[in-house]
Amino acid sequence: EIASGFDVEASRLAVLFQQSQSVLGTVQAYWQARTAAAQVDVLRRSVEVQGQLGNVTRAMIAAEEKPRSDEARILASTAEVRSRYEAAQRQLNDARINLAQVMGIALADALSIPLATDAYPVPPASLQGNPEAYAAFVREAVARRFDHQAALKTEASGKALLQGARKDARSALDLTGTGWGTSVHQSSINYANWVFRSGKVGL
């Protein structure tokens, strides 16, 4: 019974740990989608700038201020930037699908999810790092982890079972006894009228 109580508590803590993992996975997936969206914006501007540079270069080539070989270099740079932009778009789609999965949204609706637009969290200005306090933070973080607490409860359950097994394995001295008697009067069950005729004791 004691071991079962520990097992129930360990199961409850395991569920809480799974909830924490789900929350953490959702937060990470959200910021990955936010990062992918920001990267797409940067590369889109890069494609626009590269196109403007290409137009300027072609105009200078037409004015014979640049050699015609520069056009091939500009075309190669434009193709590279566009390729990176398309790759970033694929990464954004993958990030949005991953976010939909961890949120439990049907994949058919994954691309209909609004893009992440929240600004990245900024640490408070008063935040100061103190390496001497890290050890205490680590100990507290480990102690508060639900999987760590569940493991301790599972260990306690095993110890309870071990203690019970050791008690069951100890030598035992059993005392048994039986007796047989009858009443003098058939119509009475008064114990004062009973006569005990035999008995047996075992050790």
Side-chain angles (χ1 to χ4, degrees):
E1 181 181 357
I2 294 174
S4 298
F6 284 129
D7 290 338
V8 170
E9 183 65 13
S11 300
R12 186 185 70 84
L13 292 170
V15 171
L16 293 176
F17 177 67
Q18 183 61 45
Q19 288 179 344
S20 300
Q21 282 189 315
S22 299
V23 171
L24 177 61
T26 304
V27 171
Q28 290 176 335
Y30 178 86
W31 290 116
Q32 287 173 356
R34 176 68 176 85
T35 301
Q39 187 175 10
V40 168
D41 290 338
V42 171
L43 291 175
R44 180 169 52 245
R45 291 195 298 269
S46 180
V47 169
E48 295 173 356
V49 171
Q50 192 66 35
Q52 295 174 358
L53 288 175
N55 294 334
V56 171
T57 301
R58 293 187 187 91
M60 296 181 70
I61 291 174
E64 297 183 352
E65 295 182 5
K66 277 184 173 295
R68 188 160 297 277
S69 59
D70 284 358
E71 184 176 5
R73 180 177 57 81
I74 288 296
L75 289 176
S77 298
T78 302
E80 180 183 359
V81 171
R82 187 170 295 279
S83 175
R84 292 171 58 189
Y85 172 63
E86 292 175 355
Q89 284 183 315
R90 290 193 297 269
Q91 291 178 357
L92 176 58
N93 289 337
D94 292 342
R96 294 175 70 181
I97 291 173
N98 181 50
L99 179 59
Q101 286 179 333
V102 298
M103 291 177 63
I105 298 176
L107 290 180
D109 302 329
L111 299 183
S112 64
I113 300 176
L115 292 174
T117 57
D118 291 348
Y120 290 106
V122 178
S126 59
L127 181 63
Q128 295 180 355
N130 183 10
E132 297 180 355
Y134 291 167
F137 288 154
V138 170
R139 288 194 299 270
E140 181 181 1
V142 171
R144 295 179 64 176
R145 284 179 64 101
F146 290 122
D147 58 337
H148 176 72
Q149 297 179 36
L152 293 178
K153 293 297 181 181
T154 302
E155 181 183 12
S157 173
K159 289 180 178 179
L161 291 175
L162 176 61
Q163 184 179 6
R166 285 175 175 171
K167 288 183 177 180
D168 290 340
R170 290 185 305 184
S171 300
L173 183 63
D174 296 329
L175 177 64
T176 61
T178 60
W180 181 83
T182 184
S183 176
V184 175
H185 303 288
Q186 294 182 355
S187 60
S188 173
I189 59 172
N190 187 357
Y191 289 107
N193 298 325
W194 278 58
V195 176
F196 290 95
R197 300 185 179 277
S198 65
K200 180 173 63 176
V201 176
L203 185 64

